[in-house]
Amino acid sequence: IWHSAFPKEVFKFPWKIADCISEGKRPNTINEVKNKEMKRMIETCWCQNPKERLTIEDIVALLETVMLKMK
């Protein structure tokens, strides 16, 4: 089931999302991601410290691996 990670009822204005993220908060919807590799990838992309985030090359490689496993 698809739904917004940032519901309009809670985040009425776009800058509220930016405020939330800059404070280090993340959506609870991550708990709905069942694939452990995908969940880990998303969480790593969310790291506050940019040096701890995955590179785009790492993301592409991980997505390719996950897609191959799904076939």
Side-chain angles (χ1 to χ4, degrees), residues 22 25 32 61:
S22 65
K25 298 175 185 171
E32 297 174 22

Side-chain angles (χ1 to χ4, degrees), residues 48-63:
Q48 285 294 96
N49 182 346
K51 292 180 181 180
E52 295 175 11
R53 295 180 198 148
L54 295 174
T55 64
I56 191 63
E57 292 82 10
D58 293 334
I59 293 169
V60 169
L62 183 57
L63 290 172

Side-chain angles (χ1 to χ4, degrees), residues 3-57:
H3 53 82
S4 178
F6 302 97
K8 291 185 184 351
E9 303 82 44
V10 179
F11 300 95
K12 295 182 183 190
F13 305 102
W15 57 85
K16 293 293 184 184
I17 296 171
D19 290 344
C20 180
I21 295 300
S22 65
E23 292 171 4
K25 298 175 185 171
R26 302 295 184 254
N28 291 333
T29 53
I30 188 68
N31 297 324
E32 297 174 22
V33 177
K34 302 299 180 208
N35 183 297
K36 291 179 185 178
E37 291 169 317
M38 293 297 290
K39 185 175 181 178
R40 187 173 151 271
M41 180 190 71
I42 294 166
E43 290 172 335
T44 304
C45 289
W46 282 347
C47 288
Q48 285 294 96
N49 182 346
K51 292 180 181 180
E52 295 175 11
R53 295 180 198 148
L54 295 174
T55 64
I56 191 63
E57 292 82 10

